[in-house]
Amino acid sequence: MDPIQKIRDGLRNLLVSALEKSRAEGLITFDCLPDFVIEVPRDEGHGDFSSNVAMLMARSARMAPRKIAEIIVRQIDRKLMPELQKVEIAGAGFINFFLDQSWLYYLPALVIGMGDRYGSSPKQNLKVQVEFVSANPTGNLHMGNARGGAIGDTLANALSFAGYDVEREFYINDAGNQIEVFAQSLEARYLQLMGAKIEFPDNGYAGQDVVDTVKNIIRDYKDALLVMSSEERQKFVVNYALKEKIEYIKTTLSNFGINYDVWFSETSLHASGQVNEVIDYLMEKGFIYEEDGALWFRSTLFGDEKDEVVIRANGLPTYFATDIAYHRDKFRRGFDRVINVWGADHHGHVARMKGAVQALGYDEGRLDILLMQLVRLYRGGIVVRMSKRTGTTVSLDELIDEVGKDAARFFFVMRSPDSQMDFDLDLAKEKGQDNPVYYVQYAHARIQSIFRQAAAAGVERKRVEEVDFSVLGTEEMQLLRKIADFPEEITIVARTMAPHRIARYILDLAGLFHSFYNHHRVLNENQSLQDARLLLMETTRITIKNALTILGVSAPDQM
RNA sequence: GUCCCUGUGGCUCAGCCUGGAUAGAGCAACGGACUUCUAAUCCGUAGGUCGGGGGUUCGAAUCCCUCCGGGGACGCCA
């Protein structure tokens, strides 16, 4: 139930039937209707809704836009929409619709009736998978993972609200080159800590977290690894470390409000033979050729700049080969839509991944890759380079400790994924009023406070049917109008993969609330006004809470 | 060199996909509002050649071309 969509549909009907009537009466000629819009004008003086249909028809109808608008307006059947108060022609030929404010009176009943489902759309029987974070299990979660987590989880929540069946997935990169290096690093640290004088690998993981893991191994197993062969020892330490790291990732992301449905292991693709199988398949189809001892995928067939190696000359598959098998597996699991949230540093991988999906016979339109620009971390006004090797960066668990889950999630999702983000640690640590999350949460807390006051005074909220909303004034109606936008906002977020819009939306809504709050009292002498405002407050509270829930931010009862 | 993201008041950004009417927020600045449901709030003032140029259009921050600045990717790494 989308209030805005309902009105748009109604107005569209009105215009279309007016146009067809005009044509039937020979007032205007056209072959087909233009792709016109019914938009919400920026300026209130231009009505509640506005259409550009007359301007778009001007050319084909060989008539001045205003003239067309006049014809249309004359033919509009007002009976089709009782809440329509006035229709005006303005500017170059806009048709502006003014509605009686009563069209919003049903909203409190709708919102309160739906409760924590307000904003959601009916189930549409479409399965979507969102894969996000998928951090390498070789180190701590960094700010890039954090941003990806906030964006991916918010998007998943929004998709779920928009009527999709959503599955959240974490792809565990527990195979491949970096795991080899990880194993070597762990082994070297173990031997060093046990007193051996050996070199640490040049490109190894030099971070403190590797040392910490090895200390845990020593705590648990003492010198038992010294007698093993190097191969055995590496296998042992890497298994230990992966288990520990994955546990750490699960715990930290859970503390960040993210819980996955599926943890998918890369190793399982190798173990089940799916990687080799999919390469064989593509070879049969002619998408793979051999050169310089390696096997190449013809990604240039699909618009990529160059072909890509899938099996190296040493016989080992590349990450890309595994990813092809992985994506085939995703589609085989029956998802109608597959969304990957990737850092911008992976953008070179997009074209060939989509190409591979096509080569496998799937519509590449079913694979959406949301690229988010990277996060730059600042401390004391200086950029902190994020390197897994040096371990000098701030990890997600540290961030949650310092600024809290709510602020961190809001902050990360507030900006468009397309925009590069500077995360100023010093600023984020300030739990002051600069942080917009408090602004929104405060609105929720204030409303709950009103309800506490009301309860203390023995005031009860009336049932919606008993309340007359015509006592509400301009500011109250603006609040209701904003609340009416919520369902549409969610569907836009789901369609355009733009989770930051929810943060924007809720800041706007909170702003309207605070403004109202400072100008009017909910609890007052005027009984009917108080009744209406109490329900308006509950309507507002539900919407704020639902939006915060999608963002993964708590809605406190008091602050 | 090729590709991706980006350039909007002093600062941080939204709007661009799907063109629409005098371009919006927040922060910072300045001036106001608490004996009243939480001042983590509100109200007001000031501040903009939407990076430059060209094009399409009745109409361009939005679409196209081009140039310039910032970030990123271009490996038989992931």
Side-chain angles (χ1 to χ4, degrees), chain A residues 205-499:
Chain A
Y205 291 92
Q208 180 60 35
D209 54 315
V210 171
V211 177
D212 292 340
T213 298
V214 168
K215 282 180 179 166
N216 291 340
I217 293 173
I218 292 171
R219 180 197 62 207
D220 293 349
Y221 295 98
K222 314 273 185 314
D223 60 354
L225 283 62
L226 289 176
V227 298
M228 294 178 180
S229 69
S230 179
E231 194 186 334
E232 267 184 310
R233 186 161 49 229
Q234 285 192 15
K235 200 172 169 186
F236 187 91
V237 290
V238 85
N239 281 341
Y240 184 101
L242 282 176
K243 201 171 160 228
E244 187 185 88
K245 281 295 178 195
I246 291 165
E247 203 49 48
Y248 154 81
I249 290 170
K250 274 188 190 176
T251 306
T252 303
L253 289 177
S254 175
N255 291 336
F256 203 42
I258 300 172
N259 294 291
Y260 288 92
D261 301 296
V262 176
W263 292 80
F264 193 96
S265 158
E266 179 183 350
T267 300
S268 71
L269 289 168
H270 296 284
S272 63
Q274 287 185 77
V275 177
N276 291 331
E277 190 195 313
V278 82
I279 297 304
D280 289 347
Y281 173 81
L282 289 174
M283 186 131 41
E284 277 171 35
K285 293 281 179 183
F287 290 113
I288 285 177
Y289 63 94
E290 186 173 349
E291 193 175 291
D292 299 333
L295 296 184
W296 299 71
F297 174 69
R298 294 187 194 277
S299 37
T300 45
L301 284 178
F302 305 97
D304 200 3
E305 288 172 63
K306 48 190 166 187
D307 293 337
E308 181 71 14
V309 169
V310 282
I311 305 289
R312 289 175 276 192
N314 64 10
L316 295 175
T318 61
Y319 168 85
F320 179 47
T322 319
D323 236 13
I324 295 173
Y326 180 40
H327 281 77
R328 186 181 62 164
D329 184 80
K330 288 187 182 195
F331 283 111
R332 281 184 170 178
R333 279 186 268 162
F335 293 109
D336 298 287
R337 195 175 166 195
V338 169
I339 297 174
N340 299 341
V341 179
W342 286 354
D345 53 338
H346 285 67
H347 101 262
H349 192 53
V350 173
R352 54 180 179 260
M353 195 65 250
K354 289 202 161 217
V357 166
Q358 283 182 70
L360 290 169
Y362 299 104
D363 173 8
E364 54 109 10
R366 287 165 62 191
L367 173 65
D368 279 316
I369 295 170
L370 176 54
L371 285 182
M372 47 151 201
Q373 296 300 307
L374 301 179
V375 180
R376 251 191 335 203
L377 199 59
Y378 278 78
R379 189 194 284 284
I382 300 163
V383 184
V384 183
R385 282 278 154 216
M386 280 190 289
S387 163
K388 257 178 243 149
R389 305 284 158 85
T390 60
T392 53
T393 185
V394 172
S395 63
L396 175 55
D397 42 314
E398 288 165 342
L399 182 77
I400 295 170
D401 282 346
E402 287 170 12
V403 310
K405 178 200 73 161
D406 288 344
R409 282 198 63 146
F410 198 92
F411 198 89
F412 277 122
V413 93
M414 199 168 54
R415 299 210 174 101
S416 159
D418 284 337
S419 77
Q420 181 176 301
M421 178 174 180
D422 292 336
F423 199 114
D424 186 332
L425 275 171
D426 305 312
L427 187 72
K429 280 175 198 164
E430 284 176 27
K431 297 194 175 183
Q433 55 186 350
D434 283 348
N435 202 328
V437 70
Y438 296 116
Y439 185 80
V440 178
Q441 290 182 316
Y442 188 45
H444 190 268
R446 270 182 152 178
I447 294 173
Q448 292 293 47
S449 177
I450 294 171
F451 292 154
R452 281 191 296 272
Q453 293 285 331
V459 175
E460 283 181 21
R461 282 206 294 275
K462 289 249 171 61
R463 285 145 46 94
V464 185
E465 316 82 75
E466 303 169 326
V467 171
D468 172 19
F469 292 102
S470 67
V471 295
L472 296 178
T474 311
E475 281 181 291
E476 286 107 316
M477 293 314 295
Q478 280 173 351
L479 254 181
L480 270 185
R481 179 63 186 79
K482 194 75 193 174
I483 289 164
D485 278 334
F486 186 52
E488 184 178 68
E489 202 59 39
I490 300 301
T491 58
I492 293 173
V493 169
R495 194 183 72 239
T496 62
M497 303 194 295

